[in-house]
Amino acid sequence: MKNKRSIEAIIAPPAPHMVGDGFRVHGFFPGGRIDKKRMSPFFLMDYNSKVEFSPSEQPRGVSVHPHRGFETVTIAYHGKVAHHDSYGNSGIIGEGDVQWMTAASGLLHKEYHEKEFSRRGGLFQMVQLWVNLPAKYKMTQPKYQEITQGMMGNYSLNDGKGTIEVIAGEYEGIKGPASTFTPVHVYNARLKKGGVADFNFPSGYNTGLLVVEGTVLVNGESAPADHFVLFKNEGEQINIEAVEDAVVLVLSGEPIDEPIAQYGPFLMNTWEELEQAINDVNAGKFGVLEE
Ligand code: MN
């Protein structure tokens, strides 16, 4: 017998802050009631709730910065982001698309509004997740996975009232395209008004969901847009019902049970490894990327 999974908290969006001049984000975690390990392997979630950017010839964004020891996952709901890194990779994350970047041993990165989007201005809404890597994978080669909406696993709900887009992991036998280092499930549940979807994760997996659009009932409790629902590690079953047309980002993963040492954009296991990361950046070992 599976049991209903208990809700630990329904969290309102924290006051937003700017990341560079291009991202106005609510830092849902780490912080507040979700400490550095509570959603492991998901370490960080920055949510740029819907905001209208005015037209700008000069694209807004975040200038060159390093990353080491984890993956950044950028999910675009509205607007477009262009990115470049010190390995010579670049691309555009379009509406509905995801970029799964394994920073691992380290790279330099910059993220800006895509030129044409910037010129026209418009509605912008994104999520960036930092997915931690276990010690044995922290120093692997960086890589990218460009996951367009069309590549995602797509499960149609029986009543025709929605779809589950599987970005990573598996839902009802439908697999997501992302390759991951530890078991994680990442879905977009796109539900029409009245649509109902059920989810089932092991109780030991840390699990939460972000309501990106609309109001939903989560195991009968109302969760409005821009709120994050954190589940206890008790029970398995989650039921979502859309009160109005809704989009819900569902996250569940097996915790990484290792020490965490973080300094800015470095996510390691020990302080010594953080020092090493800083030294390596200063020594030019993360490569070169023009502003
Ligand atoms: Mn970055």
Side-chain angles (χ1 to χ4, degrees):
M1 264 302 275
K2 303 267 187 199
N3 295 312
K4 206 188 238 189
R5 190 157 184 148
S6 326
I7 292 173
E8 184 165 317
I10 298 177
I11 301 169
H17 65 273
M18 293 303 293
V19 177
D21 63 359
F23 302 88
R24 193 207 60 167
V25 305
H26 308 279
F28 271 99
F29 57 85
R33 53 191 308 162
I34 305 180
D35 72 15
K36 292 180 176 188
K37 283 186 151 185
R38 180 64 189 85
M39 274 297 292
S40 173
F42 307 100
F43 174 80
L44 173 145
M45 187 174 78
D46 271 351
Y47 172 47
N48 190 133
S49 61
K50 276 183 192 166
V51 65
E52 192 81 26
F53 278 101
S54 61
S56 172
E57 285 300 321
Q58 196 61 40
R60 300 177 176 94
V62 191
S63 62
V64 176
H65 56 277
H67 292 293
R68 175 180 276 180
F70 61 102
E71 303 182 286
T72 65
V73 178
T74 307
I75 306 170
Y77 293 98
H78 290 283
K80 288 182 178 177
V81 169
H83 61 91
H84 296 83
D85 78 11
S86 51
Y87 278 73
N89 296 301
S90 64
I92 290 163
I93 311 166
E95 287 197 1
D97 298 343
V98 171
Q99 185 209 50
W100 198 294
M101 181 179 86
T102 305
S105 65
L107 44 68
L108 301 178
H109 193 218
K110 60 180 182 180
E111 295 148 272
Y112 283 95
H113 294 184
E114 184 268 335
K115 238 178 178 165
E116 202 45 45
F117 170 80
S118 185
R119 200 168 284 149
R120 283 200 310 267
L123 191 60
F124 195 80
Q125 187 184 28
M126 307 255 156
V127 168
Q128 189 167 92
L129 297 167
W130 289 11
V131 181
N132 201 1
L133 292 171
K136 64 177 171 182
Y137 297 122
K138 281 191 184 294
M139 294 302 282
T140 55
Q141 277 278 112
K143 68 170 183 184
Y144 278 91
Q145 301 176 69
E146 302 268 3
I147 301 171
T148 61
Q149 195 170 23
M151 290 164 63
M152 294 172 190
N154 201 289
Y155 179 90
S156 296
L157 297 171
N158 292 332
D159 58 5
K161 285 191 174 169
T163 58
I164 309 299
E165 287 175 355
V166 186
I167 299 165
E170 186 174 344
Y171 181 80
E172 297 290 339
I174 306 284
K175 287 196 165 68
S179 92
T180 66
F181 289 84
T182 60
V184 297
H185 300 284
V186 179
Y187 318 139
N188 278 319
R190 295 182 183 269
L191 304 177
K192 294 184 185 137
K193 183 180 176 179
V196 175
D198 290 300
F199 302 88
N200 213 311
F201 303 114
S203 57
Y205 279 32
N206 291 325
T207 300
L209 56 84
L210 175 70
V211 185
V212 173
E213 185 84 54
T215 295
V216 293
L217 297 176
V218 181
N219 288 349
E221 285 194 48
S222 179
D226 301 335
H227 283 55
F228 186 80
V229 180
L230 174 68
F231 294 92
K232 290 184 184 171
N233 293 87
E234 291 168 14
E236 296 83 18
Q237 289 182 341
I238 295 167
N239 173 271
I240 301 178
E241 183 180 344
V243 175
E244 52 195 330
D245 288 359
V247 179
V248 179
L249 174 65
V250 180
L251 307 173
S252 185
E254 185 181 86
I256 297 171
D257 187 19
E258 293 179 2
I260 286 178
Q262 186 218 353
Y263 176 73
F266 309 120
L267 186 52
M268 307 302 290
N269 299 108
T270 67
W271 172 247
E272 289 70 27
E273 290 166 346
L274 292 178
E275 284 191 312
Q276 188 64 52
I278 294 163
N279 290 339
D280 287 351
V281 169
N282 290 338
K285 291 184 182 169
F286 281 41
V288 177
L289 183 61
E290 276 178 37
E291 290 288 344

